[in-house]
């Protein structure tokens, strides 16, 4: 079977498993390796020390799995529109309103990896990753033709926006690669940068994690600088602001109608008072199956205390915007 035909079969099977977009690329060094080095040197990874440990493999993804030569890049939509704010409640980012995506995507990724192995011989490699390990998902996805990296550092698909999970399967199966998405369609738009409540973007395409609400509410384990509290508002797990205002999401984001991710509407707004006294057992029972588990009960209580200081839970008006050139 030719590499082109094998690539077609892999893509077709991936779509039957529920993935929305599929692209294939090579594992040569990524083009923005120097930018990663500068980002780390300026301390913008904050306390995420694993980023330093993984830097070499992120710059040269062929070293992640010895022998692998291709990355099958996959995108899975998770968008659901926000409901009106609930007084006295904290807000959860869209991606976390359901099953932990690591677990939700595990089965279809494993099935696709097994299928890829059946197309080769006993030496065929097919290792799946979803937001784990040193895989530079966004750069590989751009090179696989899925979209471009926007000014808010998110990957943007020209007809789907950016509300999707990225996953990868690294393999040595001979597959035809796709053309890279080489054009940037953000134009002069700065809505994502200007809307950030904590001014986390130090420049276009440069995010300072230490000021990012998603980092602060999830990855950061200690007390949060009081100067950032007002900007955090009622976000208690993650943040969607820079994506919500993006014209490509305003125009193209479509609600996920499938059940794979286990969307649960009651996870969008969580009563702050209940979270302030949440026990370890209650935390595991209520959130152990979701991505909120990552922050731990202490982190969620800390976030709830900050959210309780917010003067209101009013959400911003839906943005109206024109697309970048």
């Amino acid at each position: 079977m030719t590499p082109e035909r094998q690539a077609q079969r892999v893509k077709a099977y991936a779509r039957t498993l529920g993935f929305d977009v599929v692209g294939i690329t090579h594992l040569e060094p990524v083009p923005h390796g120097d930018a990663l080095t500068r980002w780390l040197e300026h301390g913008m990874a904050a306390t995420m020390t694993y980023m330093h440990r993984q830097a070499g493999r992120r710059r040269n993804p062929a070293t992640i799995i010895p022998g692998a030569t291709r990355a099958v890049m996959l995108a899975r939509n998770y968008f659901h529109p926000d409901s009106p704010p609930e007084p006295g409640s904290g807000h959860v980012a869209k991606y976390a309103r359901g099953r932990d995506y690591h677990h939700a995507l595990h089965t279809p990724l494993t099935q696709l990896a097994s299928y890829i192995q059946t197309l080769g011989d006993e030496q065929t490699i097919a290792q799946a990753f979803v937001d784990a390990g040193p895989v530079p998902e966004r750069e590989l996805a751009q090179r696989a033709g899925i979209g471009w990296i926007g000014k808010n550092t998110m990957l943007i698909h020209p007809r789907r926006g950016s509300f999707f999970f990225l996953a990868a399967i690294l393999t040595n199966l001979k597959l035809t690669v796709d053309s890279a998405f080489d054009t940037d369609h953000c134009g002069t738009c700065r809505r994502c940068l200007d809307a950030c409540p904590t001014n986390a973007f130090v420049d276009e395409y440069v995010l300072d994690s230490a000021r990012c609400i998603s980092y602060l509410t999830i990855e950061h384990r200690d007390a949060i600088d009081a100067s950032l509290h007002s900007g955090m508002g009622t976000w208690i797990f993650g943040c969607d602001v820079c994506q919500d205002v993006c014209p490509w999401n305003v125009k193209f984001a479509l609600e996920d109608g499938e059940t794979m991710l286990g969307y649960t509407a009651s996870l969008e707004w969580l009563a702050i008072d209940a979270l302030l006294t949440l026990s370890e057992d209650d935390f595991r029972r209520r959130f152990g199956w979701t991505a909120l588990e990552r922050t731990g009960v202490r982190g969620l209580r800390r976030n709830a205390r900050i959210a309780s200081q917010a003067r209101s839970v009013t959400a911003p008006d839906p943005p109206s915007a024109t697309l970048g050139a």
Side-chain angles (χ1 to χ4, degrees):
M1 192 184 307
T2 66
E4 181 178 10
R5 178 57 181 154
Q6 292 196 135
Q8 291 171 348
R9 294 185 66 173
V10 168
K11 291 177 180 180
Y13 189 62
R15 294 187 182 98
T16 68
L17 293 172
F19 293 103
D20 299 294
V21 188
V22 191
I24 299 171
T25 187
H26 55 77
L27 294 177
E28 294 174 9
V30 296
H32 303 116
D34 290 344
L36 172 61
T37 299
R38 291 192 299 272
W39 186 76
L40 292 171
E41 289 175 345
H42 283 85
M44 293 185 190
T47 62
M48 295 182 289
T49 56
Y50 64 87
M51 292 295 294
H52 293 268
R53 294 194 303 270
Q54 296 176 354
R57 286 174 290 171
R58 285 182 177 273
R59 286 189 290 260
N60 187 9
T63 63
I64 299 172
I65 300 293
T69 58
R70 295 287 185 267
V72 179
M73 300 305 302
L74 307 135
R76 180 60 171 81
N77 175 42
Y78 63 79
F79 179 76
H80 283 271
D82 288 342
S83 61
E86 296 183 8
S89 296
H91 209 188
V92 175
K94 293 177 181 64
Y95 83 88
R97 303 170 192 171
R99 293 177 61 201
D100 184 331
Y101 60 98
H102 298 90
H103 304 312
L105 297 179
H106 175 76
T107 296
L109 279 173
T110 300
Q111 291 175 324
L112 182 57
S114 296
Y115 178 73
I116 289 172
Q117 288 178 316
T118 68
L119 297 178
D121 55 26
E122 65 276 5
Q123 303 300 318
T124 300
I125 300 165
Q127 179 66 50
F129 296 87
V130 53
D131 194 24
V135 181
E137 294 99 339
R138 279 169 282 191
E139 290 200 283
L140 291 178
Q142 180 179 16
R143 204 157 65 188
I146 293 178
W148 76 97
I149 298 174
K151 292 179 181 178
N152 62 356
T153 75
M154 303 299 292
L155 191 81
I156 303 173
H157 186 280
R159 288 294 179 269
R160 296 175 182 272
S162 63
F163 286 111
F164 51 78
F165 298 118
L166 285 174
I169 295 179
L170 304 189
T171 182
N172 61 348
L173 186 68
K174 292 181 179 179
L175 300 169
T176 299
V177 300
D178 293 295
S179 298
F181 200 110
D182 288 330
T183 54
D184 186 321
H185 293 273
C186 289
T188 59
C189 180
R190 288 182 48 89
R191 287 179 178 269
C192 59
L193 310 182
D194 296 337
C196 179
T198 53
N199 298 312
F201 295 102
V202 299
D203 202 350
E204 296 177 356
Y205 313 101
V206 183
L207 173 70
D208 183 356
S209 299
R211 300 187 64 84
C212 174
I213 295 173
S214 286
Y215 164 80
L216 292 169
T217 57
I218 302 172
E219 299 290 340
H220 189 70
R221 299 301 178 186
D222 300 320
I224 296 173
D225 191 321
S227 67
L228 298 172
H229 288 189
S230 61
M232 292 171 63
T234 57
W235 290 104
I236 56 172
F237 189 91
C239 176
D240 287 325
V241 172
C242 71
Q243 294 193 85
D244 281 336
V245 301
C246 175
W248 296 92
N249 284 322
V250 173
K251 185 173 179 64
F252 292 117
L254 295 175
E255 185 169 359
D256 173 31
E258 300 297 326
T259 60
M260 178 197 298
L261 303 176
Y263 172 74
T264 304
S266 61
L267 288 173
E268 180 183 354
W269 293 98
L270 302 179
I272 290 173
D273 287 345
L275 297 179
L276 293 174
T277 58
L278 191 67
S279 70
E280 184 74 49
D281 287 343
D282 284 342
F283 173 78
R284 287 197 298 267
R285 176 180 56 81
R286 291 184 61 187
F287 307 119
W289 58 283
T290 75
L292 279 80
E293 189 273 338
R294 182 168 179 79
T295 198
V297 65
R298 291 180 59 190
L300 196 58
R301 289 199 298 248
R302 174 203 62 191
N303 300 342
R305 286 195 297 271
I306 294 172
S308 70
Q309 301 168 6
R311 289 180 293 180
S312 71
V313 293
T314 55
D317 292 333
S320 59
T322 56
L323 298 178

